[in-house]
Amino acid sequence: MNKKQKNLLLRIIIAAIFFVPLYLISEDIVHVSVPKWVVLILFLIPYLLVGYDILRKAFLGIKNGQVFDENFLMTVATVGAIALGEYGEGVAVMLLYQVGELFQSYAVGKSRRNISDLMDIRPDYANLETEDGTERVDPDEVEIGSVIVVKPGEKIPLDGVVIEGTSALNTSALTGESKPREVAVDDEVLSGSINTTGVLRIRTTTEFDESTASKILDLVENAASRKSKSENFISKFARYYTPVVCYAALALAVLPPLFCMITGVGMEHYASVGRLWGDWVLRACTFLVISCPCAVVISIPLSFFAGLGGAGREGILVKGSNYLETLSQVKTVAFDKTGTITKGNFAVTAVHHSPLDEKELLEYTALAEAHSSHPISASLRTAHGRRLDESRVTDVQELSGHGVIAKVDGRLVAVGNEKLMEKLGADYHPCSHTGTIIHIAMDGEYCGHIVISDELKEGSGEAMQELRKAGVRKTVMLTGDAESVAKKVAGEVGISEYRAGLLPADKVTAVEELLRECSGNDRLAFVGDGINDAPVLSRADIGIAMGALGSDAAIEAADVVLMDDDPRKISKAIRISRKCLAIVKQNIVLALAVKFICLILAALGIANMWIAIIADVGVMIVAVLNAIRCLFVKKL
Ligand code: ADP
Ligand code: MG
């Protein structure tokens, strides 16, 4: 609890201690004869003590022309009750309302803290190596290429490459993965992970603003500002609802007694005209208390907040509550193949060459691929295995879905699939090996091909089953790879449909076709690794990027970012969103139903203010507790 909350708690306790004996006396349960005005003054002590801030806010609201809010409702209702001699009820309403407020601010604060705890990746300092030892500086001041030292227990402040030392890193705040990651010299490390065992010397590769930790924090901080439809609805609703309720209460206070007086109907129930008016004004006050929309207004954003937090804890970053809403309606999931369903670590399984020897072929290939970020490129460079002299490479062009063309030693080297060869008019030989075939041509002359093959990710098969269990009706694989490879992969993981040989633009068309097939409220998600599929990620109803740590394009283009490579997180994200939306609905229905019942009871004169406020605070507490369930997700 913070200071403000503790303060409020104290005020509530003291006011309650005052209130209880007073109430017993005023209701004649304990017989003490005190004049009525003394009772009033005594009641005003707990009333003002517990409610002065509400009164003040209501007053300021009126002064600033923003009259109708909860503070106003509460002020009018309690002042009305006290003016009518119902001191006990007036004070009790204020007291209980504040109990509700305290509870709510505690719960919101708690779930907010939960998100930032979980995102406890903001580095405070960096140990920068200088000529005379190390110096503790702000991570903001460290330039690219500097050397920093990270001791065990410290957070890695900037992305970089290890140049000395080995250690295990705890990346759970980034990925939700609790297994430590072993790193050694030449391994890349990401800011936000915690160094657990050894001292590391790291050469930084980014500035602070561009580092993984900053990017993720930006994303999380902006998430709460992207409102879901239900949240927008509620804020619009509150804008009209409160004034409407106030006028309705006014009508309730004035019209029935006027009617009685004019027609004389029902007058016999009241001892005097004063009683008649007092009775209806009190009913109007009760009506105001009942109509206070606190439970609904607070529980919806809180549920989404908790949902975002619960997902974040699992390494699933959802960029806003609106995406949580869309995610819950996903019925079709389209996948990219490389890097999404498969590992994207290709192993070279065969090299077929003609004019060049194998070593030369691999070397030219690796050089041409030197600047590509495609998984195929990384694998080809690994297969070559030696240091590359990048100054030999110029004029690099990457043709997405085809391959790369570059000048190496002044010769035009093309590395890519059959489509690329056809485009260049190189006379390639088809290959019957299963696997992805990468053809190489130099100055338009065909030089052979390299067969590479990829492995499925461990969770891929299970991920498809989980998706089906989560209610996804259709899974489709869209790939730029060859038909034979696509067919094999789709069969192995159990994907119902696949389309092969697609260029990035064709993937957009394919997704558009699939979107047309979706009916009604069904939504389509596209899952990719962010490499050359940014257009599709943004075209789908919801774009999910996986393995996004380190891939900037994915973090930008996607709506949901899975921080590690595990495809099982897709169904988990869907389940979290469904749970969150279900909780939102439960809360709305609960709150409205209770309000509605109270309103009827009040109109019939059965419910008094006590019942009304207890119902309101009760509903709010239940709604808040329910919302907090969103934070907890069942482990797979
Ligand atoms: P996927 O849909 O499986 O992710 P991409 O659209 O990224 O595939 O690529 C489709 C095909 O284009 C690859 O299978 C490969 O044949 C070729 N290709 C793309 N980029 C490269 C590259 N850098 N080097 C060689 N071939 C490439
Ligand atoms: Mg791809």
Side-chain angles (χ1 to χ4, degrees):
M1 255 190 228
N2 62 26
K3 216 169 139 205
K4 215 165 135 200
Q5 290 165 342
K6 275 190 196 139
N7 196 328
L8 182 55
L9 180 66
L10 193 69
R11 278 162 56 202
I12 290 173
I13 293 172
I14 298 177
I17 293 172
F18 260 94
F19 173 75
V20 172
L22 272 174
Y23 186 72
L24 296 178
I25 292 169
S26 72
E27 293 292 304
D28 250 4
I29 299 167
V30 177
H31 300 282
V32 185
S33 57
V34 262
K36 212 157 180 208
W37 63 270
V38 177
V39 177
L40 169 62
I41 288 180
L42 289 177
F43 262 124
L44 284 180
I45 298 172
Y47 178 71
L48 292 176
L49 176 68
V50 81
Y52 73 85
D53 52 338
I54 302 288
L55 297 177
R56 207 180 72 115
K57 276 186 228 160
F59 178 74
L60 288 179
I62 295 170
K63 219 175 93 185
N64 297 333
Q66 287 156 332
V67 180
F68 299 111
D69 62 3
E70 287 149 53
N71 300 310
F72 179 76
L73 288 184
M74 283 299 137
T75 302
V76 171
T78 54
V79 168
I82 292 174
L84 292 166
E86 302 291 341
Y87 308 145
E89 286 190 39
V91 180
V93 165
M94 195 55 103
L95 193 63
L96 287 171
Y97 179 73
Q98 289 287 45
V99 171
E101 289 290 289
L102 175 64
F103 188 77
Q104 158 194 326
S105 94
Y106 183 68
V108 172
K110 188 135 185 134
S111 71
R112 216 177 268 250
R113 224 171 11 254
N114 243 317
I115 296 188
S116 52
D117 275 357
L118 127 110
M119 283 299 147
D120 187 18
I121 54 177
R122 191 190 300 283
D124 308 316
Y125 60 87
N127 303 317
L128 181 65
E129 230 175 54
T130 57
E131 277 153 24
D132 27 48
T134 60
E135 191 187 344
R136 193 181 263 221
V137 298
D138 198 300
D140 227 358
E141 294 166 15
V142 179
E143 282 167 29
I144 297 186
S146 313
V147 175
I148 53 172
V149 178
V150 183
K151 292 175 224 148
E154 288 183 332
K155 223 173 277 165
I156 294 182
L158 296 142
D159 300 354
V161 177
V162 177
I163 52 174
E164 191 185 315
T166 55
S167 181
L169 300 184
N170 173 352
T171 59
S172 62
L174 292 174
T175 60
E177 166 69 59
S178 50
K179 226 172 36 213
R181 203 184 122 217
E182 303 288 336
V183 291
V185 173
D186 281 347
D187 284 343
E188 246 180 83
V189 293
L190 296 177
S191 53
S193 16
I194 296 169
N195 185 12
T196 58
T197 54
V199 176
L200 293 176
R201 282 179 72 221
I202 295 166
R203 184 177 304 282
T204 63
T205 52
T206 57
E207 280 182 17
F208 182 65
D209 290 341
E210 291 296 311
S211 70
T212 307
S214 311
K215 283 207 185 118
I216 288 173
L217 283 168
D218 271 357
L219 201 157
V220 171
E221 275 154 21
N222 290 330
S225 63
R226 298 201 202 195
K227 296 272 191 293
S228 63
K229 261 193 246 141
S230 348
E231 278 172 288
N232 282 331
F233 168 74
I234 283 297
S235 50
K236 251 193 225 141
F237 174 78
R239 214 178 308 144
Y240 296 105
Y241 172 84
T242 317
V244 166
V245 165
C246 290
Y247 288 120
L250 188 65
L252 191 63
V254 174
L255 298 183
L258 263 186
F259 176 78
C260 284
M261 281 173 67
I262 292 166
T263 60
V265 179
M267 271 311 270
E268 64 279 8
H269 298 304
Y270 300 98
S272 65
V273 175
R275 270 295 175 82
L276 168 72
W277 282 92
D279 191 44
W280 281 99
V281 171
L282 194 61
R283 277 191 203 182
C285 289
T286 310
F287 177 83
L288 279 184
V289 175
I290 295 171
S291 338
C292 181
C294 334
V296 185
V297 168
I298 183 62
S299 72
I300 291 175
L302 189 66
S303 310
F304 279 115
F305 222 65
L308 295 176
R313 270 224 288 235
E314 295 289 324
I316 302 166
L317 288 186
V318 183
K319 285 195 184 168
S321 353
N322 52 336
Y323 301 120
L324 219 46
E325 204 163 38
T326 316
L327 203 52
S328 71
Q329 299 165 334
V330 165
K331 289 281 154 27
T332 309
V333 181
F335 295 87
D336 181 41
K337 178 180 73 73
T338 314
T340 305
I341 295 175
T342 62
K343 286 186 180 158
N345 287 331
F346 294 85
V348 172
T349 47
V351 180
H352 302 161
H353 46 93
S354 43
L356 303 168
D357 67 19
E358 177 168 336
K359 210 180 123 213
E360 271 177 313
L361 187 73
L362 277 173
E363 186 179 351
Y364 277 111
T365 308
L367 281 167
E369 294 277 6
H371 297 292
S372 164
S373 59
H374 200 278
I376 289 181
S377 156
S379 314
L380 290 172
R381 275 177 285 149
T382 315
H384 170 63
R386 276 176 293 271
R387 262 191 64 81
L388 293 171
D389 177 8
E390 287 179 16
S391 64
R392 292 167 64 191
V393 193
T394 53
D395 303 314
V396 183
Q397 263 186 68
E398 180 143 12
L399 309 171
S400 51
H402 290 89
V404 289
I405 305 178
K407 276 223 169 98
V408 181
D409 302 338
R411 300 178 70 182
L412 193 69
V413 181
V415 180
N417 52 17
E418 298 186 357
K419 274 201 208 100
L420 181 69
M421 295 297 122
E422 275 159 21
K423 204 170 171 152
L424 298 175
D427 181 22
Y428 68 93
H429 309 299
C431 174
S432 57
H433 268 77
T434 355
T436 304
I437 319 286
I438 303 297
H439 299 276
I440 296 100
M442 262 166 127
D443 291 330
E445 191 196 337
Y446 187 63
C447 307
H449 51 253
I450 301 174
V451 185
I452 55 182
S453 56
D454 200 358
E455 270 173 275
L456 288 186
K457 284 189 191 164
E458 279 113 46
S460 289
E462 208 181 311
M464 300 304 149
Q465 288 167 14
E466 290 284 336
L467 278 176
R468 232 157 288 137
K469 266 193 241 157
V472 169
R473 292 202 206 99
K474 191 159 158 185
T475 47
V476 189
M477 185 172 83
L478 307 177
T479 178
D481 211 340
E483 164 85 21
S484 60
V485 184
K487 186 170 178 180
K488 184 160 161 266
V489 171
E492 277 169 358
V493 293
I495 279 191
S496 48
E497 250 184 67
Y498 67 87
R499 305 195 189 170
L502 303 176
L503 296 178
D506 302 333
K507 290 189 189 173
V508 176
T509 322
V511 160
E512 278 167 354
E513 255 167 51
L514 290 168
L515 279 171
R516 274 195 293 277
E517 287 167 25
C518 286
S519 54
N521 270 336
D522 294 355
R523 293 283 175 270
L524 175 136
F526 178 81
V527 191
D529 59 357
I531 293 168
N532 76 34
D533 42 23
V536 211
L537 282 173
S538 44
R539 185 64 192 86
D541 291 321
I542 191 154
I544 306 179
M546 62 158 41
L549 278 186
S551 158
D552 303 349
I555 293 191
E556 311 245 306
D559 308 316
V560 177
V561 177
L562 307 179
M563 309 250 266
D564 60 6
D565 277 337
D566 192 346
R568 283 168 292 197
K569 290 272 168 76
I570 306 163
S571 59
K572 200 167 216 177
I574 294 179
R575 276 191 290 129
I576 291 173
S577 68
R578 295 249 168 91
K579 180 170 170 185
C580 183
L581 266 289
I583 287 175
V584 167
K585 272 189 204 132
Q586 286 161 13
N587 281 345
I588 295 179
V589 170
L590 171 80
L592 292 185
V594 171
K595 293 264 132 149
F596 191 67
I597 293 169
C598 284
L599 273 183
I600 292 179
L601 292 181
L604 297 176
I606 300 170
N608 58 17
M609 241 186 232
W610 272 102
I611 295 185
I613 188 73
I614 289 176
D616 190 55
V617 173
V619 168
M620 197 183 79
I621 291 178
V622 173
V624 166
L625 289 178
N626 198 16
I628 289 184
R629 287 201 301 133
C630 292
L631 266 179
F632 303 100
V633 203
K634 254 193 291 176
K635 289 265 169 233
L636 276 175

Coordinates of all heavy atoms in Angstrom, one line a residue, residues 336-339 346 369 372-377 380 398-404 415-418 436-438 478-482 502-504 507 529 531-533, ligand 1:
D336 N 3.8 -18.8 -41.6 CA 5.0 -18.8 -42.4 C 5.7 -20.1 -42.1 O 5.5 -20.6 -41.0 CB 5.8 -17.6 -42.0 CG 7.1 -17.4 -42.9 OD1 7.0 -17.7 -44.1 OD2 8.1 -17.1 -42.3
K337 N 6.5 -20.6 -43.0 CA 7.2 -21.9 -42.7 C 8.5 -21.6 -42.0 O 8.7 -22.0 -40.8 CB 7.4 -22.7 -43.9 CG 8.1 -24.0 -43.6 CD 8.3 -24.8 -44.9 CE 9.4 -24.3 -45.8 NZ 10.7 -24.4 -45.3
T338 N 9.5 -21.0 -42.7 CA 10.8 -20.9 -42.3 C 10.9 -20.0 -41.0 O 10.5 -18.9 -41.0 CB 11.7 -20.4 -43.4 OG1 11.4 -21.1 -44.6 CG2 13.2 -20.6 -43.0
G339 N 11.5 -20.6 -40.0 CA 11.6 -19.8 -38.8 C 10.4 -19.8 -37.9 O 10.5 -19.3 -36.7
F346 N 19.3 -24.3 -41.3 CA 19.4 -25.2 -42.4 C 20.7 -25.9 -42.3 O 21.7 -25.3 -42.0 CB 19.3 -24.6 -43.7 CG 18.0 -24.0 -44.0 CD1 17.6 -22.7 -43.6 CD2 17.0 -24.7 -44.7 CE1 16.4 -22.2 -43.8 CE2 15.8 -24.2 -45.0 CZ 15.5 -22.9 -44.5
E369 N 25.9 -13.9 -49.7 CA 24.9 -13.9 -48.7 C 25.3 -13.1 -47.5 O 24.6 -13.0 -46.5 CB 24.6 -15.3 -48.2 CG 23.9 -16.2 -49.2 CD 22.4 -16.0 -49.3 OE1 21.9 -15.1 -48.6 OE2 21.8 -16.8 -50.0
S372 N 22.7 -10.7 -45.9 CA 21.3 -11.0 -45.8 C 21.0 -11.5 -44.4 O 21.8 -12.1 -43.7 CB 20.9 -12.1 -46.8 OG 19.7 -12.7 -46.4
S373 N 19.7 -11.2 -43.9 CA 19.4 -11.6 -42.6 C 18.4 -12.9 -42.6 O 17.9 -13.3 -41.6 CB 18.7 -10.5 -41.8 OG 17.5 -10.1 -42.6
H374 N 18.3 -13.4 -43.8 CA 17.4 -14.6 -44.0 C 18.0 -15.8 -43.3 O 19.3 -15.9 -43.4 CB 17.2 -14.8 -45.5 CG 16.0 -15.7 -45.8 ND1 16.0 -17.1 -45.7 CD2 14.7 -15.4 -46.1 CE1 14.8 -17.5 -46.0 NE2 14.0 -16.5 -46.2
P375 N 17.2 -16.7 -42.7 CA 17.8 -17.8 -42.0 C 18.7 -18.7 -43.0 O 19.7 -19.3 -42.6 CB 16.6 -18.6 -41.6 CG 15.4 -17.7 -41.6 CD 15.8 -16.5 -42.4
I376 N 18.2 -18.7 -44.3 CA 19.0 -19.5 -45.3 C 20.4 -18.9 -45.4 O 21.4 -19.7 -45.5 CB 18.3 -19.4 -46.7 CG1 17.0 -20.3 -46.6 CG2 19.2 -19.9 -47.8 CD1 16.3 -20.3 -47.9
S377 N 20.5 -17.6 -45.4 CA 21.8 -17.0 -45.5 C 22.7 -17.3 -44.4 O 23.9 -17.7 -44.6 CB 21.6 -15.5 -45.6 OG 22.7 -14.8 -45.2
L380 N 24.0 -20.8 -44.8 CA 25.0 -21.0 -45.9 C 26.4 -20.4 -45.4 O 27.4 -21.0 -45.7 CB 24.6 -20.3 -47.1 CG 23.4 -21.0 -47.8 CD1 22.9 -20.1 -49.0 CD2 23.8 -22.3 -48.4
E398 N 18.9 -7.9 -52.4 CA 18.1 -9.0 -51.9 C 16.7 -9.0 -52.6 O 16.0 -8.0 -52.5 CB 18.0 -9.0 -50.4 CG 17.3 -10.2 -49.8 CD 17.8 -10.7 -48.5 OE1 18.7 -10.0 -47.9 OE2 17.4 -11.8 -48.1
L399 N 16.3 -10.1 -53.2 CA 15.0 -10.1 -53.9 C 14.2 -11.1 -53.0 O 14.4 -12.3 -53.0 CB 15.1 -10.7 -55.3 CG 16.2 -10.0 -56.2 CD1 16.3 -10.8 -57.5 CD2 15.8 -8.6 -56.5
S400 N 13.3 -10.5 -52.3 CA 12.6 -11.4 -51.3 C 11.8 -12.4 -52.0 O 11.2 -12.2 -53.1 CB 11.7 -10.6 -50.4 OG 10.9 -9.7 -51.1
G401 N 11.8 -13.6 -51.5 CA 11.2 -14.8 -52.1 C 12.0 -15.4 -53.2 O 11.6 -16.4 -53.8
H402 N 13.1 -14.8 -53.6 CA 13.9 -15.3 -54.7 C 15.3 -15.7 -54.2 O 15.7 -16.8 -54.4 CB 14.1 -14.3 -55.8 CG 12.8 -14.0 -56.6 ND1 11.9 -13.1 -56.2 CD2 12.4 -14.6 -57.7 CE1 10.9 -13.0 -57.1 NE2 11.2 -14.0 -58.0
G403 N 16.0 -14.7 -53.6 CA 17.3 -14.9 -53.2 C 18.1 -13.6 -53.2 O 17.5 -12.6 -53.1
V404 N 19.4 -13.8 -53.4 CA 20.2 -12.5 -53.4 C 21.1 -12.5 -54.7 O 21.5 -13.5 -55.3 CB 21.2 -12.4 -52.2 CG1 20.4 -12.1 -51.0 CG2 22.0 -13.6 -52.0
V415 N 22.3 -16.1 -56.0 CA 22.1 -17.3 -55.1 C 20.6 -17.3 -54.7 O 20.1 -16.3 -54.2 CB 22.9 -17.2 -53.8 CG1 22.7 -18.4 -52.9 CG2 24.4 -17.0 -54.1
G416 N 19.9 -18.4 -55.1 CA 18.5 -18.4 -54.8 C 17.8 -19.6 -55.4 O 18.4 -20.5 -55.8
N417 N 16.5 -19.5 -55.5 CA 15.7 -20.6 -55.9 C 15.5 -20.6 -57.4 O 16.0 -19.8 -58.1 CB 14.3 -20.7 -55.2 CG 13.6 -19.3 -55.3 OD1 13.9 -18.5 -56.1 ND2 12.6 -19.1 -54.4
E418 N 14.7 -21.6 -57.9 CA 14.5 -21.7 -59.3 C 13.9 -20.5 -60.0 O 14.3 -20.1 -61.1 CB 13.5 -22.9 -59.6 CG 14.1 -24.2 -59.1 CD 13.2 -25.4 -59.5 OE1 12.2 -25.2 -60.1 OE2 13.7 -26.6 -59.2
T436 N 15.4 -27.9 -49.5 CA 15.4 -26.6 -50.2 C 16.6 -26.5 -51.0 O 17.7 -26.7 -50.6 CB 15.3 -25.4 -49.1 OG1 14.2 -25.7 -48.3 CG2 15.2 -24.1 -49.8
I437 N 16.4 -26.3 -52.3 CA 17.5 -26.2 -53.3 C 17.9 -24.8 -53.5 O 17.1 -24.0 -53.9 CB 17.1 -26.9 -54.6 CG1 16.2 -28.1 -54.4 CG2 18.3 -27.1 -55.5 CD1 16.9 -29.3 -53.9
I438 N 19.1 -24.5 -53.3 CA 19.6 -23.2 -53.5 C 20.6 -23.2 -54.7 O 21.6 -23.9 -54.7 CB 20.4 -22.6 -52.3 CG1 19.5 -22.6 -51.1 CG2 21.0 -21.2 -52.6 CD1 18.3 -21.7 -51.1
L478 N 1.8 -20.9 -45.4 CA 2.1 -20.2 -46.6 C 3.6 -20.1 -46.7 O 4.3 -19.6 -45.7 CB 1.6 -18.7 -46.5 CG 0.1 -18.6 -46.2 CD1 -0.3 -17.1 -46.1 CD2 -0.8 -19.3 -47.3
T479 N 4.2 -20.6 -47.8 CA 5.7 -20.5 -47.8 C 6.2 -20.2 -49.2 O 5.5 -20.4 -50.2 CB 6.2 -21.9 -47.4 OG1 7.7 -21.8 -47.5 CG2 5.7 -23.0 -48.2
G480 N 7.4 -19.6 -49.2 CA 8.0 -19.3 -50.4 C 8.9 -20.5 -50.9 O 9.4 -20.5 -52.0
D481 N 8.9 -21.5 -50.1 CA 9.7 -22.7 -50.4 C 9.0 -23.6 -51.5 O 7.8 -23.3 -51.8 CB 10.1 -23.5 -49.2 CG 11.4 -24.1 -49.2 OD1 11.9 -24.3 -50.4 OD2 12.0 -24.5 -48.2
A482 N 9.7 -24.6 -51.9 CA 9.2 -25.4 -53.0 C 8.1 -26.3 -52.5 O 8.0 -26.7 -51.3 CB 10.3 -26.3 -53.6
L502 N 5.2 -19.2 -52.8 CA 4.7 -17.8 -52.8 C 5.7 -16.8 -52.6 O 6.6 -16.9 -51.8 CB 3.7 -17.7 -51.6 CG 2.5 -18.7 -51.6 CD1 1.7 -18.5 -50.3 CD2 1.6 -18.5 -52.8
L503 N 5.6 -15.7 -53.4 CA 6.4 -14.5 -53.1 C 5.8 -13.8 -52.0 O 4.6 -13.9 -51.7 CB 6.5 -13.7 -54.3 CG 7.2 -14.3 -55.5 CD1 7.1 -13.4 -56.7 CD2 8.6 -14.7 -55.2
P504 N 6.5 -12.9 -51.3 CA 5.9 -12.1 -50.2 C 4.5 -11.5 -50.6 O 3.6 -11.5 -49.8 CB 6.9 -11.1 -49.8 CG 8.2 -11.8 -50.1 CD 7.9 -12.6 -51.3
K507 N 1.8 -13.9 -50.6 CA 1.3 -14.3 -49.3 C 0.2 -13.3 -48.9 O -0.8 -13.7 -48.3 CB 2.5 -14.2 -48.3 CG 3.5 -15.4 -48.5 CD 4.5 -15.4 -47.3 CE 5.6 -16.4 -47.6 NZ 6.6 -16.3 -46.6
D529 N 8.0 -14.9 -38.8 CA 9.2 -14.6 -38.0 C 9.6 -13.2 -38.3 O 10.7 -12.7 -37.8 CB 10.3 -15.6 -38.3 CG 10.7 -15.6 -39.8 OD1 10.0 -14.9 -40.6 OD2 11.6 -16.3 -40.1
I531 N 10.8 -11.9 -40.9 CA 11.7 -11.6 -42.0 C 11.0 -11.7 -43.3 O 10.3 -12.7 -43.6 CB 12.9 -12.7 -41.9 CG1 13.7 -12.4 -40.7 CG2 13.8 -12.6 -43.2 CD1 14.7 -13.5 -40.3
N532 N 11.0 -10.7 -44.0 CA 10.2 -10.5 -45.3 C 8.7 -10.8 -45.2 O 8.1 -11.0 -46.2 CB 10.9 -11.1 -46.5 CG 10.8 -12.6 -46.5 OD1 9.8 -13.2 -46.2 ND2 11.8 -13.3 -47.0
D533 N 8.1 -10.9 -44.0 CA 6.7 -11.0 -44.0 C 5.9 -9.9 -43.3 O 4.8 -10.0 -43.0 CB 6.2 -12.4 -43.5 CG 7.0 -12.9 -42.3 OD1 7.5 -12.0 -41.6 OD2 7.0 -14.1 -42.0
Ligands
ADP1 P1 9.3 -18.8 -46.2 O1 7.9 -18.5 -46.7 O2 9.5 -20.3 -46.0 O3 9.7 -18.1 -45.0 P2 10.7 -17.0 -47.9 O4 9.6 -16.2 -48.5 O5 11.5 -16.3 -46.8 O6 10.3 -18.4 -47.3 O7 11.7 -17.4 -49.0 C1 11.3 -18.2 -50.1 C2 12.4 -18.8 -50.8 O8 13.2 -17.8 -51.4 C3 13.3 -19.7 -50.0 O9 12.9 -21.0 -49.8 C4 14.6 -19.6 -50.9 O10 14.5 -20.6 -51.9 C5 14.5 -18.2 -51.5 N1 15.3 -17.3 -50.7 C6 14.9 -16.3 -50.0 N2 15.9 -15.6 -49.4 C7 17.0 -16.2 -49.8 C8 18.4 -16.0 -49.5 N3 18.8 -15.0 -48.7 N4 19.3 -16.8 -50.1 C9 18.9 -17.8 -50.9 N5 17.6 -18.1 -51.1 C10 16.7 -17.3 -50.6

